[in-house]
Amino acid sequence: MKFDIHSVVRPHILNLAPYSSARDEYTGKEGVFLDANENPIGSATPENWNRYPDPYQFAIKEKLAPIKGCRPTQIFLGNGSDEPIDLIIRLTCEPKVDNIIILPPTYGMYEVSASVNNVAIQKIPLKSDYQLNIDAILEAINSKTKLIFICSPNNPTGNLINREAILQIIENFQQGIVIIDEAYNDFSDEPSFIPSLDEYPNVMVLQTFSKAWGLASLRLGMAFAQEELITLLNKIKYPYNINGLTQKLLIENIDNTDFVKKSVATLNENRAQLEKELSELPNVEHIYPSDANFLLVRFKEAKAVFDYLIENKTIVRDRSKVILCDNCLRISVGTKDENSILMGYLRSYEA
Ligand SMILES: *Cc1c(COP(=O)(O)O)cnc(C)c1O
């Protein structure tokens, strides 16, 4: 592969000296720490949080690497996946000059982040089967295209994107970075692209603790890529982007992959049950196959169903105005109880 990270990164960032935090200069744990203007007495809380946390979250990455099948140096942790999405745009895209390619219908943050950064967006819709329109994507690439975002399993459609198609994009786009958002990978049987990172230096994989791990409130997202790219992301992030409480909680509980496995199994079972019950409703026209913890469902009259559910304090996501999602609602898979409450209202709507 002829990919060269230096030609993708904005030149001024390559030359920039990052903020050097007090703890960059001495990484030992023992000592008299009078370098960071912390409060040496303690904290206003029962537990002490008076010391700045590890800026690079080494302890988490040490434990996470074997779980994900990569090296600790290939991991970036962010304030949700939102942070690496924003950082990769800021790292590579010159505002008003460069552009990114997104493949709607897809996750909204790629467009939001690009727009905030005044970076142009090329939209190449998925085909009607929600797979990549490879020819159109390759044709859209111009000399200013820096990033292509692919979400698999895709949100809001729920399907996996064909691996061969993703590989075709990776192999034919070596002037920039292909971002593969695997937020829902835990719910599918599809292997992650993480173990292939050494083979594909132009790939960045996104995963998150918000879904299968059940930690949405902590705001912890992961990016995986070649070491040099991770180093560059570290260079431009806020120094202490993951707080100490989150780091402590994660170090103590990251071995609990049993919880992840069990909730995935339960939610996938609940999804199958919900799918079966929804398919029996006359108002439901189509349920798209899902490899994630949600279902995209086409109704005869989605907006009316959505409003009726809201009246009954049951909230789903209205995607009916989204391209290729006419009359569709996106329904997260709940507990058995939550799903039967939803089904109760949907049946009473029909009656
Ligand atoms: C939920 C989701 C994420 C995760 O976002 P966080 O900021 O990590 O909570 C990322 N990508 C997609 C496509 C998602 O649906």
Side-chain angles (χ1 to χ4, degrees):
M1 226 182 222
K2 59 179 186 302
F3 176 79
D4 174 20
I5 186 79
H6 298 98
S7 67
V8 185
V9 173
R10 295 163 73 192
H12 77 280
I13 289 177
L14 290 175
N15 300 326
L16 160 137
Y19 172 75
S20 152
S21 70
R23 297 293 141 80
D24 280 338
E25 282 145 36
Y26 176 78
T27 50
K29 280 207 169 68
E30 306 296 318
V32 179
F33 289 100
L34 304 174
D35 57 345
N37 300 346
E38 298 151 336
N39 185 334
I41 298 162
S43 306
T45 50
E47 223 181 321
N48 278 344
W49 301 104
N50 52 329
R51 300 296 179 182
Y52 281 100
D54 176 4
Y56 303 110
Q57 311 98 23
F58 284 122
I60 299 177
K61 290 174 184 176
E62 283 285 326
K63 291 192 154 191
L64 187 57
I67 296 174
K68 297 296 181 183
C70 65
R71 298 181 290 281
T73 44
Q74 290 175 303
I75 306 175
F76 175 89
L77 296 177
N79 184 350
S81 307
D82 301 339
E83 185 179 1
I85 290 169
D86 182 62
L87 288 181
I88 194 71
I89 292 172
R90 287 202 281 149
L91 183 71
T92 58
C93 296
E94 210 59 63
K96 292 167 127 178
V97 175
D98 294 326
N99 67 79
I100 69 164
I101 293 178
I102 67 169
L103 316 170
T106 195
Y107 187 47
M109 277 312 289
Y110 318 139
E111 178 166 5
V112 169
S113 266
S115 301
V116 168
N117 289 297
N118 209 1
V119 166
I121 301 153
Q122 297 203 68
K123 296 184 187 178
I124 310 298
L126 297 173
K127 297 185 296 184
S128 57
D129 62 356
Y130 295 150
Q131 291 296 326
L132 304 186
N133 187 341
I134 297 176
D135 293 341
I137 294 169
L138 296 181
E139 211 159 292
I141 296 169
N142 59 41
S143 64
K144 301 296 180 196
T145 305
K146 291 297 184 75
L147 305 173
I148 301 177
F149 284 88
I150 301 174
C151 188
S152 178
N154 187 40
N155 177 3
T157 59
N159 61 294
L160 282 161
I161 304 294
N162 293 334
R163 198 174 187 86
E164 280 309 309
I166 297 176
L167 285 171
Q168 241 179 296
I169 303 295
I170 293 171
E171 271 155 21
N172 289 288
F173 183 62
Q174 303 198 10
Q175 67 181 64
I177 296 164
V178 179
I179 294 125
I180 306 171
D181 189 339
E182 297 182 348
Y184 299 98
N185 179 270
D186 291 306
F187 299 98
S188 78
D189 296 324
E190 183 76 1
S192 164
F193 272 87
I194 294 172
S196 310
L197 288 174
D198 285 332
E199 203 175 334
Y200 303 116
N202 62 334
V203 167
M204 178 168 106
V205 173
L206 295 175
Q207 291 195 3
T208 181
F209 285 95
S210 297
K211 308 285 159 62
W213 285 76
L215 299 171
S217 178
L218 293 190
R219 307 307 304 128
L220 197 54
M222 300 166 257
F224 304 85
Q226 58 148 310
E227 270 94 354
E228 246 181 308
L229 181 51
I230 297 300
T231 302
L232 285 159
L233 291 173
N234 280 332
K235 193 168 165 179
I236 63 170
K237 76 181 182 76
Y238 288 165
Y240 304 106
N241 61 327
I242 307 295
N243 71 72
L245 180 53
T246 295
Q247 292 197 39
K248 178 166 185 279
L249 263 176
L250 210 73
I251 292 161
E252 288 169 358
N253 296 287
I254 198 164
D255 296 322
N256 195 1
T257 46
D258 245 21
F259 172 86
V260 179
K261 277 196 206 111
K262 281 190 190 136
S263 27
V264 165
T266 303
L267 291 173
N268 284 353
E269 200 180 290
N270 293 1
R271 182 184 68 211
Q273 176 68 23
L274 183 62
E275 194 172 351
K276 179 171 164 292
E277 290 183 30
L278 283 166
S279 71
E280 289 157 4
L281 296 176
N283 196 5
V284 166
E285 286 196 328
H286 189 66
I287 305 166
Y288 291 89
S290 172
D291 273 291
N293 64 337
F294 58 84
L295 288 168
L296 187 71
V297 184
R298 197 169 74 238
F299 288 84
K300 286 205 177 84
E301 27 185 40
K303 186 65 172 74
V305 172
F306 176 80
D307 291 340
Y308 178 79
L309 289 175
I310 288 265
E311 275 169 39
N312 289 289
K313 298 193 167 62
T314 301
I315 301 95
V316 299
R317 193 95 156 111
D318 181 5
R319 300 282 83 182
S320 61
K321 296 287 174 284
V322 169
I323 183 172
L324 293 173
C325 297
D326 280 354
N327 263 319
C328 286
L329 302 179
R330 193 195 69 194
I331 303 173
S332 302
V333 175
T335 61
K336 283 205 163 48
D337 284 352
E338 289 171 328
N339 295 341
S340 70
I341 291 170
L342 169 79
M343 286 309 303
Y345 288 127
L346 288 175
R347 287 191 192 103
S348 70
Y349 174 85
E350 304 268 348

